[in-house]
Amino acid sequence: MNTFLNVVATAVTDLTGEAFRSASIRLADRRTWTDLVGSASQDQALLEALILGGLASYRSPQHPLGVVEAFRAEANELHLRLESARAVEALLDLLPYAEKRGTRRGVPGLQACVIGKQLELAASFGDKTGIRWNVVDPKVRIHLQGNEPLVTVLHARHERLIQERCTPHWVPGEAVAPLRRRLPLSRDAVSQHRASAQLASVLLRRPRMWTALVGHDGLTVSSAVSEHGLDWTFVRTVAGGAALHDERLVELLQDAITGPDLQLLDHVCEPKACTLRFVGCGGRVEGWRGVLTVRTEHGNSAAGRPGRALAALGEVRAPSRPSHQTGAESRPEPTRCFVLTSGPSSTEAVHGVAAAAAVRLVTAWAAEGRVTAVLTINDADFDFSWYGKRTWPKADVPQPAGHVVRWNRLRLTPGNGEAWRVSLGSGPGLFAVVDDEAIVAALDAARERCSRILVLDGRPSAWAGGLANKRVDGVVFAFDASEYPRRTTTPVWRRAVDGDRAVGLAPEDSAALWRERHLGQHDLSRLPLAGLVLLHNRKEQTPPDAFTEQVEDHLGRYGTPVLGWLPPEPGEVRLLHGEATRTALDRMSQEDRAGEIAAASAIGGKLW
């Protein structure tokens, strides 16, 4: 089996409980291995948040919330395997029904039916008119451990309500009269959970995360309405001899590849409890308006679980937190840092060609066993809120004080290599800028951890010098480029005399013409240019020959040395703006991966 696929599939099974073969088949079809556990759509996340709230009343020392496995996680579907029928009964309390006096209970719009041996919960939140005409109803399929049929559980629930002279409203296709008046927020579970639906969904889709921690003894879940949204509280109990603070939990919850991609808000350690608070990185948009509080306490058990190694954290065997392999024996080369740019500062500086090149280079170097990082610096941090005109939530979600350096794995890496993404953004406010001290601290932290660092500087001062004169070793220019011209055609005004013919170019003429075409609009005089990284903009490539080598020799004499060419991305077209770039640590053929690593290795060899 492909080593890279083996690593990502193992990381998924560690946190979701999904069978390794099932995860491997599903992930093998993905273009890039970034978001390994699928994210839910808006309505799907809302349904999963309601299910998480329903399972909160279930207690199990073996499986938190009674969930053994979460699999087939897609935008509009999720499968859950529960450990017992009692866990299923806790979910059935969500089904809507009307009491004999007409009072409605449960979640309006929730439906339930039995398909084979499984129970399917579906929901319809609001109508599908206007822009929602093509929205698919979300659904969650419930399985029971041991593959026992669930028809008897649903039938028993139905019979009990009939005996109590209540009217079930969960039958699919059954017309139910709409409510005459809007429920108050204290009784409207749909509106409550909509505020932080994505926060709840990412946690429900990773049920095995908690049992992987050392000393795990139990977990309880609760939620509470606040002015900024719906907050979730997870209370962990660990064995008496286990440490209350577990750094592995912090890294898991902040991990962007397999984890929920949360941001640490604050941390308070006391003798009897350790309290961690997290917010979503998109905490100012719908679905993330909530704070996750994880409080760890000692339980009654003297010996809890030993914990498991997690591929998502780069661990192989020992479940205790391993140290990063950044010593002299793993990377004897010197630590160097280069700014990678594609022109005057703009959104393209951190989202365009330079960003794609940085990701591809760093992951290819990691595949060779290097410890690498991409540091992104942004100034703009606009507040796009969907709740501006609503009565609730009334307040903004709390944000960490000051600048926060977020370390996330860029890709999961087999072997000793590591690939990291470090993001450094501005503080709150429309005119906020990144503090120079925070940048220096981030660079120092990157130098301590990594040997090869590329910086994507999106600030207005980047092109005018920026970091180049402070903490970096040089600037690398990256952009799409055509191959070196070997001939040029006669100008139109000369065709009457000379005829329509092509004129061959000497290597020095080709270098001058190529440089004028691609770099003539840029002033490179104030930049300590280390070289150029060029990306092929078409698949048809001319193999390097003596002419190519001579042209690049002349470009080096002109002060613009060519470090190398990256091959075109496999596939028909490059991924769209904002999507991940396929890299050597993604799904590639062996030939494409070897070419990607060889090209990046040649570029890195000229810089380190």
Side-chain angles (χ1 to χ4, degrees):
M1 177 178 289
N2 187 298
T3 303
F4 302 90
L5 178 60
N6 190 0
V7 170
V8 297
T10 301
V12 170
T13 59
D14 283 344
L15 300 185
T16 66
E18 183 177 4
F20 178 80
R21 178 176 175 79
S22 172
S24 300
I25 294 174
R26 179 174 54 82
L27 293 170
D29 294 332
R30 294 200 178 182
R31 180 183 174 93
T32 61
W33 292 330
T34 50
D35 185 13
L36 301 182
V37 180
S39 300
S41 62
Q42 181 177 336
D43 284 353
Q44 179 70 28
L46 176 55
L47 175 59
E48 294 175 16
L50 291 165
I51 288 177
L52 178 62
L55 292 173
S57 60
Y58 182 78
R59 300 289 185 269
S60 171
Q62 188 70 16
H63 300 100
L65 306 173
V67 181
V68 179
E69 176 186 1
F71 57 104
R72 299 180 194 172
E74 300 177 1
N76 293 298
E77 187 176 7
L78 175 67
H79 289 241
L80 296 176
R81 191 178 306 280
L82 304 185
E83 69 175 8
S84 69
R86 290 193 301 107
V88 180
E89 292 172 358
L91 283 182
L92 298 185
D93 291 338
L94 299 173
L95 296 178
Y97 65 93
E99 296 179 339
K100 57 184 178 180
R101 294 182 179 180
T103 304
R104 297 189 184 185
R105 304 295 183 185
V107 178
L110 190 63
Q111 299 175 335
C113 64
V114 175
I115 301 178
K117 295 183 177 182
Q118 290 86 44
L119 173 68
E120 183 175 273
L121 298 177
S124 179
F125 303 113
D127 59 22
K128 292 181 173 56
T129 59
I131 62 174
R132 290 174 52 83
W133 65 272
N134 61 344
V135 175
V136 179
D137 283 339
K139 54 183 177 291
V140 174
R141 187 74 66 85
I142 305 298
H143 304 248
L144 198 59
Q145 191 175 23
N147 205 24
E148 298 178 12
L150 289 171
V151 61
T152 55
V153 180
L154 184 62
H155 182 71
R157 173 70 174 178
H158 188 276
E159 290 296 324
R160 185 165 64 253
L161 288 178
I162 297 299
Q163 293 176 3
E164 297 174 356
R165 301 176 62 185
C166 298
T167 304
H169 286 170
W170 67 67
V171 180
E174 181 182 90
V176 179
L179 293 172
R180 295 183 179 180
R181 61 184 180 87
R182 185 174 181 177
L183 293 174
L185 181 62
S186 59
R187 290 183 52 200
D188 191 354
V190 173
S191 295
Q192 290 179 12
H193 288 79
R194 190 187 299 276
S196 61
Q198 292 290 349
L199 179 60
S201 172
V202 296
L203 295 171
L204 181 65
R205 293 185 172 212
R206 296 162 175 81
R208 297 286 296 276
M209 175 174 60
W210 310 98
T211 57
L213 303 175
V214 176
H216 174 78
D217 190 40
L219 184 74
T220 59
V221 180
S222 62
S223 60
V225 176
S226 62
E227 288 191 353
H228 56 256
L230 186 70
D231 295 337
W232 292 90
T233 300
F234 283 58
V235 179
R236 298 176 56 233
T237 56
V238 297
L244 293 177
H245 178 72
D246 194 335
E247 192 63 26
R248 299 172 77 226
L249 173 61
V250 178
E251 292 209 17
L252 275 176
L253 291 175
Q254 293 189 128
D255 183 71
I257 303 298
T258 54
D261 192 17
L262 302 179
Q263 187 172 0
L264 183 63
L265 183 61
D266 52 45
H267 171 212
V268 178
C269 260
E270 298 175 341
K272 295 185 178 181
C274 174
T275 303
L276 300 165
R277 293 204 307 160
F278 297 87
V279 293
C281 291
R284 291 173 296 281
V285 296
E286 191 170 7
W288 289 99
R289 296 189 66 90
V291 177
L292 170 65
T293 301
V294 181
R295 187 168 65 253
T296 305
E297 303 172 346
H298 282 127
N300 298 325
S301 174
R305 298 188 178 195
R308 303 192 313 272
L310 291 170
L313 300 182
E315 300 171 348
V316 180
R317 296 183 182 276
S320 60
R321 188 68 186 94
S323 58
H324 295 286
Q325 300 181 10
T326 58
E329 69 280 1
S330 62
R331 53 169 184 84
E333 65 181 4
T335 297
R336 289 180 183 172
C337 175
F338 293 91
V339 172
L340 193 67
T341 184
S342 56
S345 181
S346 65
T347 55
E348 294 298 317
V350 294
H351 297 295
V353 176
V359 170
R360 293 175 62 183
L361 288 171
V362 163
T363 51
W365 294 334
E368 292 185 300
R370 313 289 182 181
V371 183
T372 63
V374 175
L375 172 61
T376 303
I377 303 173
N378 278 313
D379 260 348
D381 189 15
F382 300 102
D383 186 0
F384 295 103
S385 176
W386 297 100
Y387 287 87
K389 298 182 180 179
R390 300 190 181 188
T391 57
W392 179 83
K394 300 179 181 179
D396 292 332
V397 179
Q399 294 296 309
H403 300 289
V404 178
V405 179
R406 300 192 67 246
W407 286 84
N408 278 319
R409 292 187 183 273
L410 186 60
R411 296 290 194 275
L412 297 180
T413 312
N416 296 328
E418 297 179 15
W420 297 92
R421 182 193 297 276
V422 191
S423 299
L424 188 63
S426 62
L430 183 60
F431 301 104
V433 296
V434 182
D435 185 77
D436 286 342
E437 294 183 0
I439 295 176
V440 171
L443 286 173
D444 289 342
R447 287 179 178 274
E448 291 179 1
R449 179 178 298 211
C450 307
S451 61
R452 297 188 175 187
I453 307 160
L454 296 178
V455 179
L456 300 174
D457 194 347
R459 300 176 301 157
S461 62
W463 186 249
L467 292 174
N469 299 324
K470 297 180 182 178
R471 307 287 296 179
V472 300
D473 298 290
V475 175
V476 177
F477 204 75
F479 59 93
D480 284 319
S482 60
E483 296 179 357
Y484 310 120
R486 296 175 182 251
R487 61 185 58 85
T488 185
T489 57
T490 304
V492 175
W493 64 273
R494 289 287 301 176
R495 290 178 185 176
V497 178
D498 299 337
D500 189 3
R501 62 187 180 85
V503 178
L505 295 176
E508 59 270 22
D509 298 327
S510 176
L513 180 59
W514 186 94
R515 190 179 189 279
E516 178 62 25
R517 286 177 179 177
H518 294 86
L519 301 172
Q521 71 274 30
H522 300 306
D523 180 13
L524 306 179
S525 61
R526 291 183 293 176
L527 291 179
L529 188 64
L532 308 177
V533 172
L534 308 178
L535 282 73
H536 284 284
N537 55 13
R538 63 180 186 271
K539 286 189 175 181
E540 295 76 14
Q541 306 173 47
T542 303
D545 54 10
F547 180 85
T548 300
E549 295 177 358
Q550 293 177 33
V551 171
E552 293 189 348
D553 287 341
H554 285 289
L555 286 173
R557 295 189 186 98
Y558 297 154
T560 52
V562 177
L563 301 175
W565 291 75
L566 286 178
E569 289 188 37
E572 297 180 0
V573 294
R574 179 173 297 164
L575 292 180
L576 298 177
H577 172 80
E579 296 186 8
T581 300
R582 191 190 295 197
T583 73
L585 296 179
D586 287 317
R587 185 174 73 97
M588 278 189 180
S589 67
Q590 293 296 333
E591 181 181 359
D592 289 337
R593 178 175 289 115
E596 184 87 1
I597 294 176
S601 178
I603 294 172
K606 296 179 181 179
L607 294 173
W608 277 270

